[in-house]
Structure formats: C-alpha cells, structure tokens
Amino acid sequence: MEITVRGMSCGPCARAVTNAVHSVDPNAEVEIDLETKRVAINTIAKLPQLTVAIEKAGYLVEAS
C-alpha cells in the first residue's frame, strides 16, 4: 500500500515512521521518499492499524 505522511521531513522522521510500522508488523518492508512524503509499505497489517501507530509517533497519515 502507499500512503502520504505529513510532517515527515528528515532522516530521524523516516526512522520514526519505519519504527511505527514495524511496531505493528515487524516484517513489513518500508520505502520512504522524504521529498514527496510518500511511504510504500509491504505488510499484512491493515491501514487503520498503521495509521494509529504512525499518528502516535506524531505524523499525519493520508491514504492514497
């Protein structure tokens, strides 16, 4: 799935989002493009679970 994550602007932000995704699915594959704020996630987790985890980390999720 692909989502847009607002508020993500640097390497530590990308790591925080990746860690949030991995808190839901430790085996998820995460690819982040900081320029476009796009996050591609290969996971068995559902979008609502990921949204909660990422927003708890301090970012805003917009589904694509």
Side-chain angles (χ1 to χ4, degrees), residues 1-3 17 21 28-31 39-43 50 54:
M1 77 180 71
E2 273 198 27
I3 58 174
V17 170
V21 171
E29 295 176 15
V30 182
E31 292 183 28
V39 181
I41 307 169
N42 184 4
T43 180
L50 297 171
I54 293 169

Side-chain angles (χ1 to χ4, degrees), residues 17-64:
V17 170
T18 299
N19 289 341
V21 171
H22 285 156
S23 74
V24 176
D25 177 4
N27 297 314
E29 295 176 15
V30 182
E31 292 183 28
I32 295 176
D33 183 335
L34 286 173
E35 187 174 316
T36 63
K37 313 296 186 215
R38 305 288 294 160
V39 181
I41 307 169
N42 184 4
T43 180
I44 60 170
K46 303 292 184 205
L47 180 58
Q49 297 169 300
L50 297 171
T51 298
V52 168
I54 293 169
E55 290 185 349
K56 279 185 180 179
Y59 303 93
L60 178 64
V61 175
E62 297 176 3
S64 301

Side-chain angles (χ1 to χ4, degrees), residues 4-17:
T4 299
V5 178
R6 300 287 176 213
M8 185 177 60
S9 61
C10 61
C13 296
R15 279 191 295 282
V17 170

